[in-house]
Amino acid sequence: MDRPNKNVARGEATRSQLLAIATRMFAEHGYEDTSIEAVLREAGVSRGSLYHHFASKEVLFEAVAEEVETSVGAQTFAAAAEAAADGPVAALRAGAVAWIRLAGDPVVRRILLIDAPSVLGWEKWRAMEEHHALGGIKMTLQVVVEEGKLRPELADTLAHVLLASMNEVALLVARAQDKETAMKDGADAIDELMQRLFT
């Protein structure tokens, strides 16, 4: 009776181990310079075991990117929720600044901002971004609409504009030599944008 549960648990543990190792390797070496063989060696599992969970290197990378994106989404949402008591604009700003700061993280930078658009293709990468970030921005803008600070018909389009702006700033931070200055300038630019839009 117990064996299927043990097998499932073992399978989940192997999958988690592969994801953790692949995340570190993709972040350190990039997609192109990370081989399946290197992941297998580090994990100490067979090729069949890896392919049981991930049909290809690209599928493994997509799973890694999804995990990193989920973590980023949780952290930006938490920052926005913490600031929500000061109003929806403060929540938007806090979420945006959290995302800009996270763009300085080597794992986020390499996996989500540098490799994901080319490995997954722009459309799939964009869909992942929208799934995690766009919904939260739209919900927050709905509160801005209810407060009379935004015309309802503009909310959906503006959500896309804000996401694009935040992603551009995140890319600037990711590529900057001086990340601290880039993060500060990015946060200041987002502040300025929010003030001009909503005050």
Side-chain angles (χ1 to χ4, degrees), residues 16-39:
S16 295
Q17 179 195 18
L18 287 166
L19 281 172
I21 289 166
T23 298
R24 183 172 50 73
M25 290 187 154
F26 286 137
E28 286 175 6
H29 309 294
Y31 179 80
E32 289 302 325
D33 293 327
T34 298
S35 68
I36 285 293
E37 287 70 25
V39 174

Side-chain angles (χ1 to χ4, degrees), residues 3-190:
R3 187 168 293 282
N5 287 342
K6 282 184 180 171
N7 287 343
V8 167
R10 194 177 302 119
E12 285 173 1
T14 299
R15 186 179 191 280
S16 295
Q17 179 195 18
L18 287 166
L19 281 172
I21 289 166
T23 298
R24 183 172 50 73
M25 290 187 154
F26 286 137
E28 286 175 6
H29 309 294
Y31 179 80
E32 289 302 325
D33 293 327
T34 298
S35 68
I36 285 293
E37 287 70 25
V39 174
L40 291 174
R41 242 188 341 267
E42 182 95 11
V45 300
S46 68
R47 188 174 293 271
S49 182
L50 184 141
Y51 286 133
H52 171 73
H53 297 285
F54 308 103
S56 66
K57 179 178 161 182
E58 186 181 326
V59 171
L60 175 60
F61 179 84
E62 186 175 352
V64 164
E66 183 66 42
E67 274 212 342
V68 175
E69 187 76 61
T70 299
S71 170
V72 165
Q75 291 176 73
T76 54
F77 182 80
E82 199 173 303
D86 295 325
V89 176
L92 273 175
R93 181 203 174 277
V97 170
W99 170 219
I100 290 163
R101 290 216 160 271
L102 285 165
D105 180 296
V107 173
V108 173
R109 181 173 69 246
R110 183 75 211 208
I111 291 171
L112 290 188
L113 295 171
I114 295 173
D115 283 347
S118 59
V119 175
L120 303 178
W122 190 86
E123 283 187 14
K124 193 180 275 189
W125 173 71
R126 184 79 174 127
M128 188 183 288
E129 286 275 292
E130 289 184 4
H131 172 72
H132 288 278
L134 194 64
I137 295 172
K138 284 183 178 180
M139 281 192 320
T140 308
L141 284 181
Q142 198 50 52
V143 181
V144 177
V145 167
E146 288 161 12
E147 290 184 350
K149 293 179 180 171
L150 178 65
R151 286 169 27 214
E153 66 273 19
L154 296 180
D156 189 65
T157 302
L158 188 58
H160 286 271
V161 169
L162 287 174
L163 179 60
S165 301
M166 292 170 195
N167 282 343
E168 278 301 310
V169 173
L171 283 166
L172 281 173
V173 170
R175 294 196 168 105
Q177 292 296 316
D178 182 352
K179 301 233 180 301
E180 278 305 315
T181 300
M183 282 187 259
K184 184 189 177 307
D185 290 348
D188 289 348
I190 291 293

